[in-house]
Amino acid sequence: MGTDLESLWQKALAHAMAYRTGLPGHSALPQLDYHAMRERLAGPLPENGMAPEAMLEELVALSEPGLMPMAGPRFFGWVIGASDPAGVAADWLVSAWGQNAGYHSPTPAVSAMEEVAEGWLLEVLDLPRGSSIGFTTGATVANGVGLAAARTRVLLDAGWDPDADGLFGAPPVAVLVGADAHSSVFSALQLIGFGYARVERIATDDQGRMRAEALAEEIGKHPGPKIVVAQAGQINTGAYDPFSEIIEIARTAGAWVHVDGAFGLWARATDAHKHLTAGIEGADSWVTDGHKWLQVPYDSGFAIVRDREAHQRAMTQWSSYLPAIAQGDRVPSAYVPELSRRARGTPVWAMLKTLGRKGVADLVERHCGLARQFAALLAEEPGIRIMNEVTINQVIASFGGGDAEARKAATEAVIAKVQQDGICFVGGANWHGDWVMRISVSSGATTETDIERSAVAIINAWRAVRQK
Ligand SMILES: Cc1ncc(COP(=O)(O)O)c(C=O)c1O
C-alpha cells in the first residue's frame, strides 16, 4: 500500500503550525529533561514497520514534551537565531525535492540558487566579490574549511603541498589566536591537524578584543608560515577585534588572516554597526552562520575565502563516476568537506529574497537596540551589574556583591530561577573569572514587549534570590 502523501504531509504541516503558533506561550524549558526523554523514547528496534501516519502521530506525541522553544521570542540562550518561517518553508522543499546538491550539473536549480546566494552574501556582507563560499553545517565546520584553505596556501607558499602530502614533515605553521576566541576555532584547528594546544594565544582586553601590540610582539617570533585568527563578535561580550591594525601587522609579517564572525559578521549589513568591522575586508577568509542572524533553519554556515583556488584545492574530490566539470562551473561540493549534501543554498537564497538587504540590516539593528533596552532595564535594578559594553546583541550580567564565589552563587541561582519560572531562557558562562548571565538577542520573533517581560522576570528572580 502506497503512502497517502497529501494526508501525511498535511498532518506534518498541522503539527508544525500548532507548534510554532503556540511558541510565544511556551515555558522556557522543555517539560521533560534529556534523561526522561531518553526513557520515553527507548524501546526495542521495531521488527515490523508501521503506517507513516501512525509513526508521525507517535513521533510528535513522544517528542513535544522534550522540545526546547529555541525559535520562540524569549529564548536568549547561546546565539541561536529562530528558523524564520520563510526559511523553514524553503527547507521543507529542499527535503521534498530530494536533490543531492554535491554536483551542479545533475541539480541545476539548487546549485544555481547556491551560486546566486554566494554572490548575494558577498554583497550583503560587503566582502571581496569573487571570493568563494562553502555552504557548511555551521561556523565550526566553516572555521575548519577556512583554516584548511589557509593551511593549503601558506604551506604551498613555503614549498610544501599539504593536500597531497599531509603535515608529517611539513614546515611548522604558527597559528596565532586571540585568547577569547570561540571554542570552535580550537576544534577546527584540531580537525585539520594543527592541534588545539599548539597555538599562540594572543592577549585580549577586558571585552575580549585581541590586543594589536601583543600580536605585533608575538608574530615577530615566527619567521615561517603563519595564520592569524581574529574574531568579529565575541560569544559573550559581542566585541570585535581591531581589524585594521591586526590585518596590517599580519600582512607585514606575511600571515594569512582568518576571521570567525559566526554572528558578528552580520554587523556589516547595517549602516549603524558596520564601523565595528572596519578593515575586516582585508582578511583572507571569514566565517559566519546563516542559522544565527540570518534566521535560516539549521544547519547553515558559510566559509568565505578570498583565494578561491586554495579553497577548492583544500576541499575538492573527483572520481570518474562523477559528472565532468566544465571550465568556469561552480561545483557546490568543491568548497565543503562533503560530497552528498542537502541543498543548503536554497533556504539561504529564500531568506535573502524574503528579507532583502534592508530587511537584514533592520533585523540586526533591531536586535542591537533590543539588547541595549534589555541592558538598560536590568542596570536600573540595584545589585545587577552589566559586565560588557553592549555594542551589538549580547548582554552579560552579574548579580550580587562580595567575592567572585558569592557572585557566582547568586548569578547561578538567578539563572536557574529564571529558567524555572519559564518566562524566558538565559544561560551562563565564565567571563574572565566571573560567572555571568548571558543574554543573546537573535530571534526574529522578539519584540520590545518580550524584552520588558523578560527583564521583569530576571529582576523578580534576582529579588527572590537576594531575599533568601
Ligand atoms: C563566535 C562563534 N564562532 C563559532 C561558533 C560556532 O558556530 P556553530 O555552532 O554554527 O558551529 C559560534 C557559536 O555560537 C560563535 O558564536
Side-chain angles (χ1 to χ4, degrees):
M1 207 176 65
T3 301
D4 180 344
L5 199 69
E6 179 160 358
S7 161
L8 179 67
W9 286 6
Q10 287 291 356
K11 279 200 163 66
L13 174 64
H15 283 303
M17 289 277 295
Y19 179 72
R20 286 299 283 258
T21 52
L23 263 183
H26 270 213
S27 168
L29 284 183
Q31 293 160 31
L32 297 180
D33 69 8
Y34 167 72
H35 298 101
M37 283 307 296
R38 203 168 51 184
E39 247 174 64
R40 187 178 168 90
L41 287 159
L45 167 70
E47 194 56 37
N48 299 304
M50 67 194 292
E53 287 188 30
M55 172 283 299
L56 193 70
E57 292 307 321
E58 199 176 319
L59 180 151
V60 171
L62 284 171
S63 303
E64 283 203 332
L67 295 178
M68 180 75 135
M70 289 180 163
R74 292 182 305 283
F75 189 88
F76 305 110
W78 304 287
V79 189
I80 286 292
S83 295
D84 185 275
V88 173
D91 212 45
W92 280 344
L93 289 173
V94 166
S95 291
W97 288 340
Q99 305 288 287
N100 181 337
Y103 261 71
H104 59 301
S105 48
T107 59
V110 294
S111 296
M113 218 174 255
E114 182 174 306
E115 189 166 345
V116 170
E118 176 186 77
W120 288 354
L121 284 169
L122 294 175
E123 263 191 66
V124 74
L125 296 169
D126 192 17
L127 291 174
R129 312 304 191 264
S131 300
S132 46
I133 302 187
F135 287 66
T136 66
T137 51
T140 303
V141 173
N143 273 323
V145 172
L147 289 166
R151 180 186 64 181
T152 291
R153 179 54 67 207
V154 298
L155 280 173
L156 280 179
D157 287 352
W160 185 271
D161 183 344
D163 300 313
D165 300 325
L167 291 177
F168 298 104
V173 177
V175 182
L176 300 100
V177 184
D180 287 303
H182 190 266
S183 51
S184 66
V185 166
F186 299 96
S187 100
L189 289 168
Q190 171 184 353
L191 188 71
I192 66 166
F194 279 174
Y196 61 79
R198 200 200 137 271
V199 296
E200 303 300 339
R201 289 178 188 245
I202 307 301
T204 49
D205 68 11
D206 64 339
Q207 299 297 304
R209 292 176 286 239
M210 191 192 290
R211 304 183 83 102
E213 72 280 7
L215 175 68
E217 197 184 320
E218 186 61 37
I219 210 167
K221 300 178 190 162
H222 301 278
K226 45 197 153 304
I227 299 168
V228 172
V229 184
Q231 181 166 250
Q234 207 283 333
I235 182 73
N236 295 315
T237 63
Y240 289 73
D241 285 347
F243 298 108
S244 298
E245 288 170 77
I246 286 178
I247 291 170
E248 198 186 325
I249 293 164
R251 281 270 166 274
T252 308
W256 175 292
V257 182
H258 173 83
V259 182
D260 176 9
F263 59 99
L265 202 58
W266 290 99
R268 286 188 71 73
T270 74
D271 288 337
H273 293 88
K274 190 174 182 184
H275 66 95
L276 294 167
T277 68
I280 209 172
E281 63 281 1
D284 298 286
S285 51
W286 308 261
V287 159
T288 196
D289 267 325
H291 58 220
K292 291 192 168 76
W293 238 337
L294 193 57
Q295 313 288 307
V296 176
Y298 284 82
D299 303 327
S300 177
F302 312 118
I304 309 169
V305 183
R306 181 196 295 274
D307 184 340
R308 190 175 273 268
E309 193 196 324
H311 190 172
Q312 283 188 17
R313 212 174 182 283
M315 295 292 131
T316 302
Q317 56 171 302
W318 196 79
S319 173
S320 60
Y321 85 98
L322 295 169
I325 307 169
Q327 184 75 22
D329 285 358
R330 181 186 180 282
V331 181
S333 63
Y335 304 97
V336 289
E338 326 94 292
L339 179 60
S340 291
R341 53 191 285 265
R342 65 192 281 107
R344 285 202 201 104
T346 299
V348 176
W349 183 94
M351 282 312 300
L352 289 170
K353 193 89 176 158
T354 304
L355 292 172
R357 188 200 302 271
K358 195 168 172 323
V360 176
D362 288 350
L363 182 72
V364 172
E365 287 190 6
R366 194 163 65 76
H367 283 161
C368 296
L370 292 173
R372 285 196 300 275
Q373 179 196 354
F374 216 141
L377 291 171
L378 294 181
E380 280 173 15
E381 178 69 13
I384 304 183
R385 199 152 56 101
I386 303 302
M387 303 287 283
N388 65 323
E389 294 167 13
V390 181
T391 45
I392 51 166
N393 63 333
Q394 302 297 126
V395 181
I396 50 175
S398 167
F399 294 78
D403 62 11
E405 274 308 302
R407 292 196 304 273
K408 179 174 187 204
T411 303
E412 279 184 329
V414 177
I415 294 169
K417 176 135 183 62
V418 169
Q419 291 181 0
Q420 285 307 326
D421 290 348
I423 303 294
C424 66
F425 184 93
V426 291
N430 180 342
W431 176 246
H432 287 190
D434 259 308
W435 196 258
V436 293
M437 174 185 284
R438 291 188 69 261
I439 296 168
S440 174
V441 184
S442 55
S443 161
T446 306
T447 63
E448 284 182 16
T449 312
D450 290 311
I451 300 294
E452 280 159 21
R453 273 187 75 187
S454 303
V456 168
I458 293 171
I459 290 168
N460 285 341
W462 161 231
R463 289 178 183 169
V465 165
R466 194 174 45 183
Q467 263 169 18
K468 275 194 183 156

